[in-house]
Amino acid sequence: MTVRTAPPLSDARSSSFGMAPFEVLDGCHQEMIEMLGDLRRLMAHVAEQGLDDTARALARNTHLFFTTTAVNHHLDEERHVFPALLRSDNASLRSAIHRLQQDHAWLESRWMALAPRLDYMARGHQWHDMTDVNHHIEGFTGLYQNHIALEESLIYPPARAQLSPDELHTMSREMAERRNKPRATDHIEDRSNGDDD
């Protein structure tokens, strides 16, 4: 199994000011779907091969993605996409936005439960109840997939139409600034050689 290690393409695109912001958001959704697939592949791989180097790399990469790129993506939506549509006269559209905002809170809550488990797997810890880990992964991936589908079908099309050129310009600039900020860490330290008692 090949494990991707390159930085997310959506981060590279949006760190360059001037990229079309909705192209970046669409690209990030595609990467999210791939990473959600990697979480499920992680569990299948562990069931067949154990927590080997490939499994640890999958755990490390998905942990990094959802701790950095996905967080920026949600900020993009909360600061630029959702506010424009909440001003709409369309009550069903406003209701969908409120649901998506609640989804973001639920996703964060589910991630807070899943992230430490992935962190420990990335470090090579073997003590996990994998049924428990799988339960958290299934809940997280299912909610995320439904969330993305709603955004792409009901939210992004009207947002594209309503945001002015000036608003898109500001959105693009702020997305680039978020991704150009230095991060405290770009990886999970590999401490699986017995020195992390």
Side-chain angles (χ1 to χ4, degrees):
M1 177 185 297
T2 302
V3 180
R4 294 176 304 248
T5 58
L9 181 58
S10 59
D11 272 6
R13 285 176 174 163
S14 56
S15 65
S16 174
F17 177 48
M19 291 301 299
F22 279 97
E23 289 181 13
V24 175
L25 294 177
D26 287 337
C28 191
H29 274 178
Q30 184 57 47
E31 289 168 331
M32 285 176 168
I33 290 167
E34 292 172 5
M35 285 291 176
L36 293 171
D38 279 353
L39 285 172
R40 287 185 165 135
R41 281 187 282 279
L42 167 63
M43 295 310 298
H45 186 87
V46 170
E48 295 176 4
Q49 305 291 332
L51 194 58
D52 61 7
D53 288 345
T54 297
R56 290 171 54 205
L58 281 168
R60 186 177 305 114
N61 291 347
T62 51
H63 184 283
L64 177 60
F65 180 87
F66 286 107
T67 304
T68 56
T69 301
V71 170
N72 281 330
H73 178 83
H74 290 180
L75 286 171
D76 296 336
E77 293 172 338
E78 294 281 353
R79 294 182 183 178
H80 303 289
V81 179
F82 295 170
L85 299 181
L86 285 171
R87 298 191 296 266
S88 168
D89 293 333
N90 186 325
S92 63
L93 186 57
R94 293 196 308 272
S95 177
I97 293 295
H98 290 308
R99 175 187 161 182
L100 291 169
Q101 289 173 321
Q102 183 62 61
D103 279 358
H104 281 178
W106 286 333
L107 285 165
E108 182 177 358
S109 176
R110 287 182 179 271
W111 176 247
M112 293 301 290
L114 176 58
R117 291 164 169 82
L118 291 177
D119 184 5
Y120 277 107
M121 291 175 72
R123 297 173 192 271
H125 293 284
Q126 303 277 350
W127 54 263
H128 291 287
D129 176 352
M130 299 312 293
T131 301
D132 171 70
V133 177
N134 191 59
H135 168 77
H136 284 285
I137 286 176
E138 287 301 317
F140 183 70
T141 57
L143 178 56
Y144 236 128
Q145 287 167 335
N146 291 334
H147 179 83
I148 290 169
L150 180 59
E151 286 181 337
E152 292 187 346
S153 62
L154 294 182
I155 303 305
Y156 282 12
R160 280 186 171 96
Q162 290 187 31
L163 286 168
S164 70
D166 284 347
E167 287 172 318
L168 289 170
H169 181 81
T170 299
M171 181 177 175
S172 180
R173 175 177 51 79
E174 291 185 6
M175 287 170 67
E177 288 172 355
R178 267 193 287 284
R179 286 156 179 81
N180 283 326
K181 286 182 180 176
R183 295 183 289 206
T185 179
D186 281 341
H187 66 282
I188 298 172
E189 181 184 357
D190 186 351
R191 297 167 57 193
S192 59
N193 295 323
D195 57 352
D196 59 335
D197 295 338

